[in-house]
Amino acid sequence: MDQFKSYDVVIIGSGPAGSLCGIECRKKGLSVLCIEKDEFPRFHIGESLTGNAGQIIRDLGLADEMNAAGFPDKPGVNVIGSLSKNEFFIPILAPTWQVRRSDFDNMLKRRALEHGVEYQQGLVKDVIKHEEKVVGAIYKADGVEHQVRSKVLVDASGQNTFLSRKGIAGKREIEFFSQQIASFAHYKNVERDLPPFSTNTTILYSKQYHWSWIIPISPDTDSLGIVIPKDLYYKECKNPDDAIEWGMEHISPEIRRRFKNAERVGESQSMADFSYRIEPFVGDGWLCIGDAHRFLDPIFSYGVSFAMKEGIKAADAIKRAIDGNDWKTPFYEYRDWSNGGQQIAADLIRYFWIYPIFFGYQMQNPDLRDEVIRLLGGCCFDCEGWKAPTIFRNAIEEYDRKQMAG
Amino acid sequence: MIEELIDFINNELLEGAAPDLDQHTPLLELGILNSLSMVRLLAHVDQRYGAKIPEHDITPVYFENIETLAALINTLSAKDEMQTEQSVSELERLVKLQESYGIQSELVDAGEGFKQHVLRVKGDGPLWILLPALGNPSTSWSSTLRSVQGRHNAVALDLAGFGLSQSANEAPSYVDHVEFTLQYLATLEEQEWVLVANSAGSMIATEIARRFPEKVKALVCSGFGLVEDVENWWGDLKKMSSNPEQFLAAAYYHPPKMTPALESLLDDVLSRPAYHSFLDDYARQSIAKTFDGVMVPTLFVAGNHDQIIPPEWSEKAAELLDNASVTRLSRCGHFSASERPEEFVWVVEDFLNREAM
């Protein structure tokens, strides 16, 4: 083993969470190394951004580059109910985009490099501990193992959940929405709505936890996803193509209509067990951000938005921990802040699934409408004193009580 | 009460599609209720049982099934079923429902025996004047009003001879409508307007825009355009009006099925003299010239599946104007403000933003 280098912050993974955390740490004067296992650009799912994410991107000064890359504007979200008979539209307040993740993640990574984040392609194999404190990582690059020391090790490894697998963070616990399998692929020649709504996200559902997304990710390509319960998948489908076919047949006639002349580009894929949480996700010398500790459900496109927000928030906690020689106060604050926002998002998603029609109806109530639009825009972390989260929480508690009793 | 509610939901809301409906059928989970039918159910509960359900009580717990709903009604009910005022029309019921949302209902004396009924919401900026299609009441703008409430000032009008407006002239022509509307507009404190009109209401709006370009800051016409062959179009429309189901199929992307309540609303409209007097000979001649001299910024919102005024006609109209654009809405017919309520407000606001308002 060679002589090790030392950084204030070592980040595992250069997706949106890792890049944003790196950029923010650099702005605070910390030295940062980011270790990424994949060669970029690489495929990733999660292609729709919230208004909140759009604001973060503009704050990074990337708006022009986003437009130049051909990422479509996202005016809002269309939610189309069973048999396509009822639907509602949720406008996006802060402008945002739909993205091809391979290009988008690469753009963020380049911006991180411009901010002075150092970058290493390699596979992190293990952590280095000094007693109970995490003080670095061991990674393999070009066939050789290296050591790197860190004041704080950040797990931004996404669904790999590296620190959880190493037993540093807690175990993966399945969340409410984990009993489903998502199958997805990219297509050309999909019929879109007319402008200005041609690049909306469209969500189509039939019954609870049977749904589909259509996301235009470039001027000529749309992402289609079919999410169905696991038992149905294993019973009816041999592969992702079968699941997509099942969705076109059963979720909504509107999917078939739009994909009548569509041609698939590349392979279809399936993903299971994507909904989980990990506790604890902060500790002495380490913390987790984004999917590395929690992923709820793709339905409202919170993934990238939450990952970036947590990356930014974690940088603040990291700076305070390093400066103050006390990790507990800032890291626990970060943890509580994250759990609070994630809980509100989880409630919103569950409420939608239990009462989809009611959700649509309440969108017409001016008292709640603005709040719900903002929550769907990603404001789940900044909604103290709002009415809607309490209404949703109460309704879910009532529902759960009845389910328990029944 | 439970029997009556089952009957109402099955026959009125579900168009008879759920004969097995009982007091325990989960209304929300099975998607029996949708946003539109929720509104009608609330109106029914109010009229029939005098139970005005406060907005904060409109939570799923009470709408789980007919039994839970009946329990809520019982705690709120001001009068029992037997004392129902049968005289309340479907129209008044809908207006009352708007009031429960905080939308104001006003009857304004506009002079010369004309009383203009409007629904009003308060907000900022120039006053949106919402002019309905012929025969449609002010409540046809309900979704728009609720959506802009608190953000824009807006009034939705009952045209003379319709809704709750009162005039000595029971059979006003198009020209009379323009005069009645101007009479009402003259009573307003606000003298800067955005005219937002649907179908025949757009004819009134274009005339006002032509005559008062200094007051009309912008014009939005939905379900309206250049009608080149007026006589044929009018003939077809009259034929269609005699078969309401055919009309609904042509006008809506998802046509509502004929229910007793809808039938009584339609019968009311079709039997009014005002329905037949609007498009007199003079008005039919005026249609072709309706866009002449309109200079204000104009937006046409066209339903891509509108078979009453096809979207191409809106595009032809826009070509006649110097400062006009067209937005077509997918999966939408003649009544974009009620068929695609959120998108409609979105495109109008986007248009006003572009016009720096």
Side-chain angles (χ1 to χ4, degrees), chain A residues 75 78 80 82-92 192-197 200 254 257-258 351 354-358 360-367 369-370 373 391 394-395 398-399 402-403, chain B residues 15 27-36 38-39 42 55-56 58-61 63-64 68 101 143 146-147 149 151 253-254 257 304 327-331 339-347 350:
Chain A
N78 247 122
I80 301 183
S82 42
L83 302 173
S84 308
K85 274 200 170 167
N86 61 77
E87 65 175 274
F88 58 92
F89 170 70
I90 306 149
I92 296 281
R192 292 179 178 175
D193 272 359
L194 295 163
F197 302 111
N200 274 347
E254 183 68 10
R257 192 183 72 74
R258 294 191 193 194
Y351 185 83
I354 300 170
Y355 304 117
I357 299 294
F358 226 87
Y361 174 75
Q362 281 170 326
M363 286 296 294
Q364 297 172 5
N365 175 351
D367 273 1
R369 182 177 176 275
D370 281 3
I373 289 175
I391 289 173
N394 291 343
E398 181 75 27
Y399 177 85
K402 284 198 175 154
Q403 294 292 103
Chain B
E15 300 144 4
L27 297 178
L28 295 168
E29 285 162 53
L30 298 182
I32 282 177
L33 290 179
N34 63 29
S35 308
L36 253 179
M38 279 287 299
V39 172
L42 293 174
E55 194 81 342
H56 63 261
I58 303 181
T59 61
V61 176
F63 289 82
E64 205 151 280
T68 56
Y101 296 146
S143 300
R146 292 200 79 193
S147 179
Q149 200 170 9
R151 293 187 292 127
Y253 182 70
H254 287 305
K257 277 210 183 126
N304 204 37
T327 298
R328 285 193 189 210
L329 294 180
S330 301
R331 281 167 283 124
E339 288 182 77
R340 308 303 299 272
E342 296 289 346
E343 285 95 332
F344 181 80
V345 170
W346 194 98
V347 297
D350 183 54

Side-chain angles (χ1 to χ4, degrees), chain A residues 176-177 208-209 299-300 343-363 368 372 388-400, chain B residues 28-29 38 56-63:
Chain A
F176 257 105
F177 314 105
Q208 205 169 29
Y209 306 129
I299 189 158
F300 293 140
Q343 182 62 48
I344 283 167
D347 282 355
L348 192 69
I349 297 168
R350 277 199 71 206
Y351 185 83
F352 170 79
W353 276 124
I354 300 170
Y355 304 117
I357 299 294
F358 226 87
F359 192 94
Y361 174 75
Q362 281 170 326
M363 286 296 294
L368 294 181
V372 176
T390 313
I391 289 173
F392 296 155
R393 182 94 286 265
N394 291 343
I396 288 169
E397 279 172 10
E398 181 75 27
Y399 177 85
D400 285 343
Chain B
L28 295 168
E29 285 162 53
M38 279 287 299
H56 63 261
D57 272 347
I58 303 181
T59 61
V61 176
Y62 295 116
F63 289 82

Side-chain angles (χ1 to χ4, degrees), chain B residues 221-226 300-303 309-319 325-326:
Chain B
C221 299
S222 65
F224 193 58
L226 184 68
F300 290 89
V301 182
I309 300 282
E312 293 77 17
W313 297 7
S314 305
E315 282 156 359
K316 281 186 183 162
E319 282 169 21
S325 58
V326 184

